[in-house]
Amino acid sequence: MTSLVGLRPPVTGNLITILSIDGGGIRGIIPGVILEYLESELQALDGEDARLADYFDVVAGTSTGGLIATMITAPNENKRPLYAAKDIVSFYLENGPKIFPRVGGPFDGFIKTLKTLFGPKYNGKYLKSLVTGLLGTTKLSQTLTNLIIPSFDIKNMQPVIFSSFQVPREPSLDAQLSDICIGTSAAPTYLPAHYFLNGDREFNLIDGGIAANDPSLVATGELTRQVMKADPNFPAIMPLDYTRYLLISIGTGTQTQTPKYDAKMAAKWGVLGWLVNQGSTPLINSFTQASADLVVIHNNIIFEALSCVDNYLRIQDDSLTGDLASVDVTTKVNLDGLVKVGQVLLDKPVSRVNTETGVFEPVFDGVTNREALKSLATRLSGERKLRESNVSNGGVLD
């Protein structure tokens, strides 16, 4: 069994490993369930101390996915991940109702809608206190593996990518993880924008989902940049050699199979209709869903073109209905329902998006997500052991 203290650089192995987690508010429970299973399989192979950060060269997350990515890569006092994957769901069950508190009673939805007309639904104070208390002054440069979290600067009107890889070139990005998490989670109409200074640079951040709700493309882009720059930690491969990439991308669920709106409805909407409709925000939902779908289509085309589709696993449920599709409904019934969605998703067949129609379709061999994750856990464990062996023997692959 190999020592679980840090991951050797990709140059010492065969693969570049990436974990990506979408945004989606309280629906972060779904990837929490998936990640718990993946980590349990790694522990079955390498011991109970195994953690996700021990196997991935990069962990990327947007919004709620950024919070999860930070939880599993930020160090505790023993220089091990702050959270085990099995603790993610309980974190959401405990804190979700405090981050997204309910007014209570039959007028809960109406009161929240009314608040949205004059400011964010939630003041964000609990979330800020929570992540600040958990993360303290820990900075991006201190994570246990490379971390990538997109956000959007509303003042400069451009994305901001908090990337471990960019810190040496742009020290102002080495912000406190608490600020990064609050910024990437600041969903318009739900939570207030987040301002902070780091050095002499100011940030005026809103939800990273505006730019990249599925951050996997951002992650592969950052890795490609490192390869182009001949980073000695990476093998001397072609920058777009995705045959050497292993990407696991986990969504937070959508309702694309059960449409909520149509053109007749949208044709009548003004500003208010686009911002508040049937308990959700069509404009924000459209932005985040469109960006995520385009990334999935792009990934599918690239991995198919290079004949390495088995190196890309996208796990997503596109059949959510009612409150399950919301980002902020925190009733016990809905929270338990989201846990169930994740559990059921594990035993659904692996699906890939049809690049012609944009619809997810089961792959022909009927392999389930559970089986695919179990197989990938074996590959991740093997890659880690290969790197350890090559370092011990003084060898480097390229």
Side-chain angles (χ1 to χ4, degrees), residues 28 137 143 147 162 218 230 239 262 274 286 312 320 324 358 368 378 389:
T137 58
T143 53
L147 179 64
F162 291 95
V218 175
D262 58 35
W274 278 102
S286 298
Y312 172 48
L320 300 186
L324 290 173
T368 65
T378 300
S389 175

Side-chain angles (χ1 to χ4, degrees), residues 25-289:
I26 197 61
R27 299 198 312 265
I29 288 173
I30 297 172
V33 173
I34 305 299
L35 292 174
E36 178 178 357
Y37 176 74
L38 175 58
E39 190 168 88
S40 72
E41 286 300 307
L42 293 168
Q43 290 169 343
L45 293 165
D46 295 332
E48 63 180 15
D49 290 334
R51 296 289 183 269
L52 293 170
D54 299 322
Y55 297 88
F56 289 98
D57 297 305
V58 176
V59 179
T62 295
S63 194
T64 198
L67 180 57
I68 294 172
T70 301
M71 291 165 65
I72 61 178
T73 61
N76 62 18
E77 63 277 6
N78 298 317
K79 304 300 181 184
R80 295 296 290 145
L82 194 61
Y83 277 78
K86 66 180 179 61
D87 298 321
I88 295 172
V89 170
S90 58
F91 173 89
Y92 276 86
L93 296 180
E94 178 183 351
N95 295 293
K98 301 171 187 175
I99 296 171
F100 303 117
R102 294 179 58 77
V103 176
F107 300 107
D108 179 80
F110 173 76
I111 293 172
K112 285 183 178 178
T113 298
L114 192 63
K115 286 182 66 177
T116 304
L117 299 179
F118 303 99
K121 276 189 185 182
Y122 310 100
N123 60 31
K125 291 181 179 178
Y126 181 82
L127 177 61
K128 184 173 183 178
S129 173
L130 176 66
V131 298
T132 302
L134 286 172
L135 299 168
T137 58
T138 305
K139 292 194 170 186
L140 177 60
S141 59
Q142 296 173 282
T143 53
L144 299 171
T145 190
N146 296 297
L147 179 64
I148 296 175
I149 296 180
S151 189
F152 189 86
D153 193 301
I154 193 67
K155 182 175 182 179
N156 298 328
M157 293 301 289
Q158 60 182 212
V160 177
I161 308 301
F162 291 95
S163 166
S164 300
F165 296 118
Q166 291 194 32
V167 167
R169 298 188 290 270
E170 184 53 67
S172 66
L173 293 174
D174 192 21
Q176 291 186 6
L177 291 173
S178 57
D179 282 318
I180 296 172
C181 286
I182 296 167
T184 191
S185 302
T189 76
Y190 290 95
L191 290 164
H194 184 54
Y195 172 86
F196 67 93
L197 272 171
N198 191 40
D200 59 359
R201 180 174 176 178
E202 65 174 15
F203 294 89
N204 297 266
L205 302 182
I206 61 172
D207 196 313
I210 296 295
N213 205 52
D214 174 350
S216 61
L217 187 58
V218 175
T220 53
E222 287 291 290
L223 289 167
T224 299
R225 191 203 318 251
Q226 294 307 113
V227 172
M228 288 173 60
K229 290 180 175 294
D231 184 330
N233 289 312
F234 288 82
I237 60 175
M238 295 296 293
L240 296 179
D241 185 2
Y242 279 41
T243 63
R244 301 286 288 270
Y245 289 10
L246 179 62
L247 169 60
I248 300 176
S249 173
I250 305 177
T252 56
T254 74
Q255 58 177 14
T256 52
Q257 285 189 2
T258 53
K260 196 171 186 177
Y261 319 111
D262 58 35
K264 289 183 180 179
M265 297 168 61
K268 302 173 184 177
W269 294 343
V271 173
L272 183 61
W274 278 102
L275 290 178
V276 182
N277 203 294
Q278 298 184 44
S280 63
T281 53
L283 187 62
I284 305 302
N285 292 348
S286 298
F287 273 120
T288 56
Q289 189 62 50

Side-chain angles (χ1 to χ4, degrees), residues 274-355:
W274 278 102
L275 290 178
V276 182
N277 203 294
Q278 298 184 44
S280 63
T281 53
L283 187 62
I284 305 302
N285 292 348
S286 298
F287 273 120
T288 56
Q289 189 62 50
S291 71
D293 285 351
L294 286 174
V295 168
V296 173
I297 291 171
H298 169 86
N299 286 340
N300 263 52
I301 290 173
I302 294 295
F303 281 92
E304 285 179 9
L306 295 173
S307 301
C308 56
V309 290
D310 290 339
N311 284 15
Y312 172 48
L313 176 64
R314 172 68 172 173
I315 298 181
Q316 176 71 306
D317 189 317
D318 60 356
S319 59
L320 300 186
T321 58
D323 287 347
L324 290 173
S326 76
V327 299
D328 66 332
V329 174
T330 55
T331 61
K332 186 178 187 305
V333 169
N334 197 54
L335 295 176
D336 291 344
L338 289 170
V339 174
K340 183 66 174 177
V341 168
Q343 294 169 341
V344 171
L345 183 56
L346 278 171
D347 292 310
K348 286 186 175 181
V350 170
S351 297
R352 296 196 184 104
V353 71
N354 183 320
T355 53

